[in-house]
């Protein structure tokens, strides 16, 4: 479970969500910084691997949603470093349009996502995610058709 910092500190929604998940609960991450920094995505990847989480539920805004979309793509492709993540950055179409496609040869995400959004960004309903490379300070686009959550509540 990934819960926004503000919801975790000002409500009991994260705790209630954990209770609903019950014995399937593998762990909780509190917050993702704005613009989904790569270092935090990689930290979350390690947390998912060590907890053996088989699904991710988010409760929060767009940065959390984007970070978890990148995370499932990173996990499917065994990304453990900035260099690994850079190989997963989307590729602009050759016709010059803004369309972004997944790089050739990457594996599809297999960890299902369930989003409980608290913002109106509508980013939860598409397969694209933006995340910021902490080293270059560039926001990069990631995408794969299976980065879309199984459920948006």
């Amino acid at each position: 479970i990934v819960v926004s910092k503000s919801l975790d500190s000002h409500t009991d929604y994260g705790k209630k969500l954990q209770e609903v998940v019950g014995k399937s609960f593998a762990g909780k991450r509190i917050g993702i910084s704005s613009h989904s920094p790569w270092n935090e995505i990689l930290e979350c990847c390690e947390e998912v691997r060590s907890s053996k989480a088989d699904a991710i539920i988010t409760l929060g805004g767009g940065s959390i949603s984007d970070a978890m979309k990148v995370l499932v793509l990173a996990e499917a492709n065994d990304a453990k470093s900035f260099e690994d993540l850079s190989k997963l950055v989307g590729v602009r179409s050759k016709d010059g349009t803004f369309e972004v496609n997944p790089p050739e040869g990457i594996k599809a995400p297999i960890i299902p996502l369930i989003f409980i959004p608290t913002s109106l960004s509508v980013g939860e309903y598409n397969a694209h995610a933006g995340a910021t490379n902490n080293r270059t300070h560039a926001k990069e686009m990631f995408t794969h058709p299976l980065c879309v959550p199984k459920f948006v509540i």
Side-chain angles (χ1 to χ4, degrees), residues 35-36 38 66 70 85-86 89-90 129-133 136-142:
H35 307 290
S36 310
W38 286 19
D66 277 359
V70 176
L85 279 181
S86 68
V89 170
T132 302
N133 180 327
T136 65
H137 305 289
K139 193 159 190 179
E140 303 285 3
M141 183 70 75
F142 295 80

Side-chain angles (χ1 to χ4, degrees), residues 38-152:
W38 286 19
N39 66 313
E40 292 184 32
I41 293 169
L42 291 170
E43 288 170 9
C44 288
C45 285
E46 180 55 40
E47 292 168 14
V48 166
R49 278 192 292 276
S50 66
S51 71
K52 297 182 175 47
D54 58 3
I56 296 171
I57 303 170
T58 70
L59 176 61
S63 292
I64 290 175
S65 298
D66 277 359
M68 293 306 104
K69 288 180 192 179
V70 176
L71 177 141
V72 295
L73 190 60
E75 278 301 294
N77 290 278
D78 199 32
K80 296 178 180 166
S81 67
F82 276 61
E83 292 72 27
D84 294 340
L85 279 181
S86 68
K87 295 173 187 171
L88 303 176
V89 170
V91 179
R92 292 200 184 223
S93 63
K94 294 181 179 165
D95 64 4
T97 62
F98 191 68
E99 182 178 334
V100 178
N101 298 297
E104 283 193 36
I106 64 170
K107 296 177 184 172
I110 57 171
I111 299 174
L113 295 168
I114 301 169
F115 289 164
I116 307 170
T118 58
S119 63
L120 296 173
S121 72
V122 203
E124 296 78 18
Y125 293 98
N126 67 58
H128 303 298
T132 302
N133 180 327
N134 307 67
R135 294 181 181 164
T136 65
H137 305 289
K139 193 159 190 179
E140 303 285 3
M141 183 70 75
F142 295 80
T143 189
H144 189 283
L146 296 179
C147 282
V148 193
K150 298 290 183 196
F151 299 100
V152 177

Side-chain angles (χ1 to χ4, degrees), residues 1-9 11 13-15 17 28-32 57-60 64:
I1 296 174
V2 183
V3 181
S4 76
K5 289 178 189 173
S6 61
L7 281 174
D8 192 69
S9 62
T11 74
Y13 298 152
K15 182 180 176 188
L17 184 57
K28 181 168 86 172
R29 165 88 181 203
I30 300 170
I32 295 289
I57 303 170
T58 70
L59 176 61
I64 290 175

